[in-house]
Amino acid sequence: MSKPTVSRLASTRIPTAYGDFQLCYYSNTLDNKEHLAFVMGKVCDAENVLVRIHSECFTGDVLGSRRCDCGEQLDRSLQLIASQGTGVLVYLRQEGRGIGLLQKMRAYNLQDQGYDTVDANLLLGHGADERDYSLAARILEELGVKSIRLMTNNPLKIQALESEGILVKARMPLETAVNADNQGYLLTKVRRMDHLLQVKPAPIRVSAHDCEPAD
């Protein structure tokens, strides 16, 4: 099978809280989705470019859901790229580890019944992780990036990019705060998906009633 191709259709300046990025819009020959790249600085022909490959998470990225760490990872990645002055965040439109928003919401309901994120996906007839990183590789090639330092906790993402011909010089950890709503999700990443995370117990929630003085 031939490799998919991407075409940059537009790019524009996007001022953010962390500085100005160029937002690049790509079409492709693999699917009918619009994949994007946030670019800061000169990355063409550059080595050791700081890169994040971020899969879309509407609930975390837009709504600020505490069930996952996606929104925090997105913000942290843009902040780190801005602090370096150069880097790329590729934003792939593969919601819910590739199963889509509707199925992700159904998986959430299964998780509320006690299933972990892997088993919830499997019960819905999906793989544990159906994401594809070939388009991310093609976007990095189109941008002219020579080698990267990848912000990720997922070793499979490194393997996937390297299998697509991307030279990954280093892995940069991207850990976020643990809370009571995402602790199980993060532990499943470690125990069942081999993510490189240090998951510390979430702070215990204290209610106003707990703080009342004893009689």
Side-chain angles (χ1 to χ4, degrees), residues 95-129:
E95 178 80 45
R97 293 185 184 145
I99 68 174
L101 182 57
L102 174 60
Q103 290 293 80
K104 183 173 84 167
M105 292 172 66
R106 289 171 173 164
Y108 278 170
N109 288 335
L110 289 171
Q111 290 165 37
D112 286 341
Q113 294 173 30
Y115 296 98
D116 67 24
T117 54
V118 171
D119 285 336
N121 276 24
L122 296 176
L123 283 169
L124 290 170
H126 297 287
D129 190 341

Side-chain angles (χ1 to χ4, degrees), residues 12-190:
T12 190
R13 183 180 67 89
I14 298 293
T16 74
Y18 308 117
D20 286 3
F21 287 80
Q22 283 291 315
L23 177 62
C24 303
Y25 177 113
Y26 290 92
S27 65
N28 70 87
T29 59
L30 181 64
D31 58 38
N32 60 357
K33 299 175 183 178
E34 307 99 340
H35 302 283
L36 306 162
F38 289 81
V39 183
M40 179 176 281
K42 185 181 182 301
V43 300
C44 184
D45 294 325
E47 301 276 1
N48 299 313
V49 176
L50 189 61
V51 168
R52 165 71 178 166
I53 308 299
H54 190 88
S55 296
E56 177 181 33
C57 177
F58 173 77
T59 50
D61 298 343
V62 178
L63 301 181
S65 169
R66 291 166 53 88
R67 296 187 73 135
C68 64
D69 54 350
C70 304
E72 291 180 74
Q73 287 188 323
L74 176 61
D75 288 341
R76 181 61 176 155
S77 298
L78 293 174
Q79 183 181 23
L80 289 170
I81 289 170
S83 70
Q84 300 261 322
T86 305
V88 178
L89 184 143
V90 177
Y91 196 86
L92 297 176
R93 310 299 298 276
Q94 44 186 7
E95 178 80 45
R97 293 185 184 145
I99 68 174
L101 182 57
L102 174 60
Q103 290 293 80
K104 183 173 84 167
M105 292 172 66
R106 289 171 173 164
Y108 278 170
N109 288 335
L110 289 171
Q111 290 165 37
D112 286 341
Q113 294 173 30
Y115 296 98
D116 67 24
T117 54
V118 171
D119 285 336
N121 276 24
L122 296 176
L123 283 169
L124 290 170
H126 297 287
D129 190 341
E130 297 185 356
R131 289 176 293 182
D132 181 281
Y133 298 104
S134 59
L135 292 179
R138 303 291 82 76
I139 288 172
L140 291 174
E141 289 171 351
E142 194 279 336
L143 290 168
V145 173
K146 295 299 184 184
S147 63
I148 69 173
R149 291 173 293 139
L150 187 65
M151 290 183 279
T152 187
N153 305 316
N154 183 1
L156 292 180
K157 190 179 292 186
I158 297 173
Q159 295 173 23
L161 289 174
E162 289 181 333
S163 72
E164 292 287 339
I166 301 301
L167 182 57
V168 182
K169 289 287 191 71
R171 182 187 77 88
M172 311 298 289
L174 195 62
E175 300 202 29
T176 59
V178 180
N179 63 63
D181 294 300
N182 71 15
Q183 180 171 270
Y185 164 85
L186 295 174
L187 286 171
T188 299
K189 280 186 171 184
V190 173

